[in-house]
Amino acid sequence: MNASPERITTKQRLQIQRQKMPEQNPTDRSANFEEVNLGFTEQLALLEADRCLQCKDPKCVSGCPVGVNIRTFIDLLSKGKIAEAAQSLLCDNALPAVTGRVCPQENQCEAECVRGNKGLPVGIGYLERYVADWARKHRDQLPKVEIKSTGKKVAVVGSGPAGLTAAGELAKMGHEVTIYEALHKPGGVLVYGIPEFRLPKAIVAQEVDRLRELGVKIECNVIIGRTYTLPELRERFDAIFIANGAGLPVFMNVPGENLKGVYSANEYLTRINLMAAYQFPNSDTPVLKGKRVAVVGGGNVAMDAVRTAKRLGAEAMIVYRRTADELPARAEEVHHAKDEGVTFHFLTAPVEVVGDDKRWVTGLKCIQMKLGEPDASGRARPEPVPGSEFILPCDTVVVAIGTRANPLLTATCPELKLNRHGNLVVDENGMTSLPGVFAGGDIVRGAATVILAMGDGKKAAKAIEAYFQSVLR
Amino acid sequence: MHTILRKQQLSPNVTRLDVLAPRIAQIRKPGQFVIVHLAENSERIPLTIADANPSAGSIALVIQAVGKSTRDLVALEPGESIRDVAGPLGHATELIDSGRALCIGGGVGTAVVHPIAQGLHERNVHVTSIIGGRSREWVIFESELKRLGDVVVCTDDGSYGRKGFVTDAAKEFLERGGIDIVYAVGPVPMMRAVANLTRPFGVRTIVSLNPVMIDGTGMCGGCRVSLGKETRFACVDGPEFDGHLVDFDELQDRLSTYREFEQQANACAAGTCRLEKQSA
């Protein structure tokens, strides 16, 4: 762009290989709850940053649901200006230490990276994590955000990724934000769902503290729909953002599902993550650890559950009705699970949970499947092979086949328009059928990802700002 | 933080705590419960709101000390506090508007019957409470219920009131007729016995269930109970259900899921835990 000679040529950039994320070795990590990925060293980060070609028209940004200015933060990082890189990243993304760990980058930013056309894309997620972790440790080196109060009050329902993101953005705009959380600890799925080994809870706590520093109030143990109704909130706030998640677990609806030893993934993970059941009796909440644990499902939640079971000492297996190619989980989670010794039963669908005379689970009766014609989702439809039933011996079953909308809040406000699944219907700005009431994340989308929820939170904050400008002027 | 305002021993292992929770005290309805989380590493446990004093901002929790978590709660003294109290949760009791109701309480379940009787009494429903315990010292909430209607006390050993089970007394009322609805709360065998008793009389019977629960908002599904062929979550669909449809065998069985863990926790509390000794 100017006359000064480039520090590094494009040819040199192209010669650098993608740097590997250092990880705990599989044998050690499958027996502990510490983080699997250890994070880049400075040297690895700078090398990886130099792989970025600094495209004039960076495609990666369009792949990011919160629109992180990826080229800029990587450029600043590669020039050694890490504080500025952090500032740029934090300006676009309220929870970069979280997304740098849990985003499915291979389907988003990294899928668009031109380097992926020939070889491997830039490790954008790893770099995001590196910069975000630096920022967590060097908060004193980041400028304080100047906030001018607007006097407008916004309630955020739920403190998961959508709620936290919206709260951060709204607070920076100068609005007075109160988050209501139903559980006793803020973070939503980031604390009850995603395990410590993938997302340390201390990181979530730090991100929450950063919001508090911005002036966000967080009230735990408040269930909107029970402790307060939505109409009550509307009387006290100028706008509301509903992000209470898709809380209700879906069960398989097969015989034997209420036997002792059958958990929803929500219950299993909540016992372990939120209630620290893996530390029993030092923590009061127990969990059945199981000798052979069958996790039904193939998404990220199933991978979290099966890798948790492994860490609790069980022989852990995935039961999935399609093949490895259709697994919806992030590639890295599947890869980690395999390395840790998780076994996969593909083309296998449960038809019954079987138990002993004391009603403890003894196995999962399954039927073999084969792939047929593509279904509405475009994926090959699995079809049962007649007469192929068999029993997979196990003493614990974890059902991880999805969640649906929790009706607690919507039931107290019949004016809110819902779709046939009970999810909130919103317009292109994220506003519900009630003026000033916005919604995002899983309560709108059904079960999706952290980053899509965050994208909704960010979009809703902007829409709330625009709503204030137009309506409340 | 939710301060303990008052503590009262009701029976040898049942304690009443009046806890500061102003919002819940103001809006709670009969049949609703709270989730209580004493401290950082405690369990979350569901407790029915036995009474409330909106002007003092307090709710009454009646706790039977059976395991480590409940013992920790009843060890609290006035002035100390509970970290988290969330609620009110669950649906309010289905109350009739007129007529006659039998409210049957067994043991600590009598405390759960109390707010139901309160709600009925406010609607001018005639309330007869039949409450029971092993012996005199185990009978609770008698004077509170007497303010709301007639009370029949039954003890297993006949040391107070009638000798026999609550179902024996209830049977006489049902045979005499005129009962529009029955509410029964107590140990699972008692609720099952009441449901079996009322079924041939065709009298609607509501029971309040207390299965294993974590969040209380429908998220974990641990509290699922079978109602006929349907599965329901006690936390969001209940906690009160039609007693004639509840699968009590399954309920009782699921309640035993963590028995071994409870024994271990008890042993640890008593200082006889093998694990602790090994690590010490």
Side-chain angles (χ1 to χ4, degrees):
Chain A
M1 273 163 270
N2 56 37
S4 70
E6 290 290 332
R7 184 176 54 83
I8 178 170
T9 64
T10 302
K11 197 175 167 193
Q12 286 170 320
R13 289 181 192 273
L14 284 168
Q15 278 164 353
I16 310 170
Q17 296 298 306
R18 179 168 161 130
Q19 303 302 304
K20 280 215 171 73
M21 170 59 79
E23 17 174 273
Q24 261 200 82
N25 84 61
T27 328
D28 290 347
R29 77 189 193 224
S30 65
N32 70 46
F33 276 83
E34 281 148 43
E35 207 178 359
V36 171
N37 285 348
L38 301 172
F40 273 171
T41 58
E42 184 183 5
Q43 190 196 3
L44 289 175
L46 291 175
L47 265 174
E48 189 63 34
D50 274 344
R51 293 185 68 231
C52 175
L53 301 180
Q54 292 293 310
C55 305
K56 291 271 181 308
D57 175 22
K59 299 276 182 270
C60 50
V61 180
S62 63
C64 175
V66 297
V68 167
N69 209 327
I70 295 162
R71 182 182 65 177
T72 306
F73 96 76
I74 294 182
D75 183 41
L76 290 165
L77 171 64
S78 71
K79 288 175 178 156
K81 298 176 182 174
I82 190 154
E84 288 166 55
Q87 209 182 320
S88 165
L89 178 59
L90 279 164
C91 178
D92 296 330
N93 180 349
L95 311 168
V98 173
T99 51
R101 287 171 167 81
V102 305
C103 259
Q105 288 96 2
E106 72 266 23
N107 304 326
Q108 297 176 165
C109 51
E110 294 182 18
E112 304 293 331
C113 175
V114 292
R115 291 214 56 176
N117 295 344
K118 204 177 164 190
L120 293 170
V122 174
I124 300 169
Y126 296 163
L127 292 175
E128 179 182 42
R129 172 186 161 140
Y130 177 78
V131 173
D133 283 355
W134 182 91
R136 289 195 296 122
K137 289 172 199 141
H138 300 88
R139 273 151 78 168
D140 50 330
Q141 293 185 38
L142 295 169
K144 266 201 111 130
V145 187
E146 294 276 326
I147 295 175
K148 256 200 223 147
S149 173
T150 62
K152 295 271 182 290
K153 293 169 77 178
V154 185
V156 173
V157 182
S159 66
L164 292 178
T165 303
E169 298 289 327
L170 289 160
K172 283 192 266 180
M173 292 167 185
H175 307 310
E176 196 183 306
V177 183
T178 305
I179 301 182
Y180 293 105
E181 166 56 46
L183 292 171
H184 60 267
K185 205 181 267 183
V189 73
L190 306 176
V191 298
Y192 76 73
I194 301 178
E196 181 76 17
F197 57 82
R198 204 148 77 78
L199 178 64
K201 300 306 150 228
I203 290 176
V204 182
Q206 276 177 330
E207 301 281 29
V208 168
D209 283 346
R210 211 156 43 80
L211 288 188
R212 287 201 173 102
E213 280 171 23
L214 291 174
V216 173
K217 276 185 269 179
I218 303 179
E219 286 193 33
C220 288
N221 304 311
V222 176
I223 304 100
I224 304 304
R226 287 281 186 259
T227 318
Y228 296 97
T229 62
L230 193 67
E232 282 172 317
L233 283 195
R234 290 185 83 199
E235 283 170 24
R236 289 168 40 210
F237 292 90
D238 300 305
I240 296 168
F241 178 56
I242 302 172
N244 57 345
L248 291 189
V250 173
F251 284 91
M252 299 180 285
N253 206 11
V254 300
E257 215 162 5
N258 291 348
L259 292 171
K260 289 173 291 185
V262 182
Y263 284 119
S264 72
N266 267 2
E267 178 177 4
Y268 184 70
L269 291 171
T270 300
R271 281 180 180 272
I272 292 156
N273 299 330
L274 179 72
M275 308 310 293
Y278 62 97
Q279 294 170 350
F280 184 90
N282 293 323
S283 169
D284 291 344
T285 303
V287 68
L288 301 170
K289 290 183 178 174
K291 290 192 172 65
R292 280 174 61 87
V293 179
V295 176
V296 181
N300 287 320
V301 175
M303 296 306 140
D304 284 345
V306 80
R307 294 174 67 199
T308 296
K310 187 80 198 171
R311 281 160 174 75
L312 292 177
E315 201 179 315
M317 43 202 166
I318 286 282
V319 174
Y320 181 55
R321 62 199 185 116
R322 302 180 204 244
T323 73
D325 294 336
E326 287 86 20
L327 279 173
R330 284 177 79 204
E332 187 178 51
E333 309 312 325
V334 177
H335 163 75
H336 278 158
K338 282 183 181 157
D339 282 354
E340 289 162 13
V342 167
T343 50
F344 286 76
H345 295 270
F346 291 117
L347 291 171
T348 305
V351 291
E352 184 183 346
V353 186
V354 289
D356 61 16
D357 56 350
K358 299 242 165 62
R359 299 204 212 201
W360 286 99
V361 171
T362 57
L364 196 56
K365 188 175 179 187
C366 299
I367 189 161
Q368 215 64 61
M369 308 294 277
K370 62 175 196 284
L371 288 185
E373 294 298 304
D375 64 10
S377 73
R379 295 183 300 178
R381 187 195 303 272
E383 292 162 6
V385 178
S388 66
E389 289 92 344
F390 67 102
I391 290 186
L392 190 65
C394 61
D395 54 12
T396 307
V397 174
V398 180
V399 182
I401 57 172
T403 54
R404 55 196 172 85
N406 190 323
L408 270 190
L409 182 149
T410 49
T412 61
C413 194
E415 302 96 308
L416 275 174
K417 204 172 151 201
L418 306 178
N419 69 13
R420 64 195 170 91
H421 303 294
N423 295 105
L424 281 168
V425 174
V426 296
D427 67 14
E428 66 278 10
N429 297 317
M431 191 153 87
T432 66
S433 53
L434 289 177
V437 179
F438 296 76
D442 282 1
I443 188 65
V444 172
R445 296 174 175 274
T449 61
V450 167
I451 188 69
L452 287 173
M454 290 176 57
D456 288 353
K458 194 169 174 175
K459 196 176 79 175
K462 281 190 190 136
I464 288 171
E465 178 73 2
Y467 167 78
F468 285 157
Q469 301 292 336
S470 67
V471 182
L472 299 178
R473 162 191 313 268
Chain B
M1 295 299 252
H2 301 266
T3 313
I4 311 299
L5 302 177
R6 198 168 72 110
K7 177 179 180 175
Q8 206 184 345
Q9 185 89 26
L10 300 184
S11 84
N13 73 343
V14 175
T15 304
R16 171 179 170 145
L17 296 178
D18 286 69
V19 180
L20 192 65
R23 174 67 187 173
I24 300 171
Q26 194 190 346
I27 60 166
R28 65 96 201 191
K29 293 195 181 82
Q32 289 189 301
F33 65 97
V34 289
I35 292 273
V36 170
H37 180 239
L38 173 55
E40 182 66 27
N41 282 328
S42 304
E43 273 187 281
R44 289 170 64 95
I45 49 179
L47 292 168
T48 304
I49 304 162
D51 202 353
N53 182 339
S55 57
S58 67
I59 56 172
L61 303 176
V62 176
I63 303 151
Q64 182 166 25
V66 284
K68 179 185 182 287
S69 295
T70 43
R71 274 199 315 273
D72 287 351
L73 276 174
V74 303
L76 292 172
E77 294 298 333
E80 294 184 300
S81 52
I82 298 173
R83 187 184 184 277
D84 304 286
V85 177
L89 295 162
H91 286 295
T93 304
E94 168 198 326
L95 297 170
I96 55 170
D97 292 315
S98 61
R100 259 190 95 125
L102 273 191
C103 293
I104 308 175
V108 71
T110 310
V112 180
V113 156
H114 175 253
I116 300 173
Q118 272 181 329
L120 292 166
H121 179 70
E122 278 169 24
R123 294 175 174 221
N124 292 317
V125 174
H126 185 276
V127 177
T128 301
S129 300
I130 303 175
I131 62 176
R134 261 178 274 169
S135 59
R136 180 173 197 143
E137 56 186 355
W138 298 89
V139 174
I140 64 171
F141 268 77
E142 184 191 357
S143 59
E144 288 89 341
L145 287 165
K146 271 190 172 152
R147 280 181 233 134
L148 307 169
D150 308 329
V151 177
V152 178
V153 179
C154 309
T155 50
D156 297 359
D157 62 0
S159 58
Y160 187 53
R162 297 171 46 137
K163 183 177 188 329
F165 296 126
V166 286
T167 37
D168 302 332
K171 190 166 182 234
E172 291 171 22
F173 279 91
L174 289 161
E175 281 168 348
R176 261 180 260 154
I179 302 297
D180 298 296
I181 193 162
V182 171
Y183 300 88
V185 192
V188 174
M190 183 216 105
M191 292 192 284
R192 174 176 26 212
V194 172
N196 287 341
L197 171 70
T198 58
R199 192 175 282 115
F201 290 95
V203 176
R204 184 157 174 77
T205 300
I206 307 287
V207 294
S208 177
L209 309 184
N210 193 12
V212 174
M213 205 177 274
I214 303 178
D215 59 292
T217 64
M219 195 189 83
C220 79
C223 65
R224 55 198 190 276
V225 292
S226 290
L227 244 69
K229 284 187 175 150
E230 312 249 308
T231 294
R232 290 276 183 276
F233 292 177
C235 65
V236 287
D237 300 322
E240 297 178 0
F241 293 102
D242 181 343
H244 293 153
L245 297 177
V246 171
D247 182 340
F248 288 106
D249 292 346
E250 182 188 276
L251 174 68
Q252 181 141 35
D253 180 61
R254 286 182 63 80
L255 281 168
S256 72
T257 305
Y258 298 100
R259 193 163 289 158
E260 273 183 34
F261 291 86
E262 284 156 24
Q263 285 162 356
Q264 196 190 340
N266 283 339
C268 287
T272 55
C273 177
R274 269 190 307 123
L275 283 177
E276 267 190 350
K277 274 188 185 161
Q278 278 167 1
S279 60

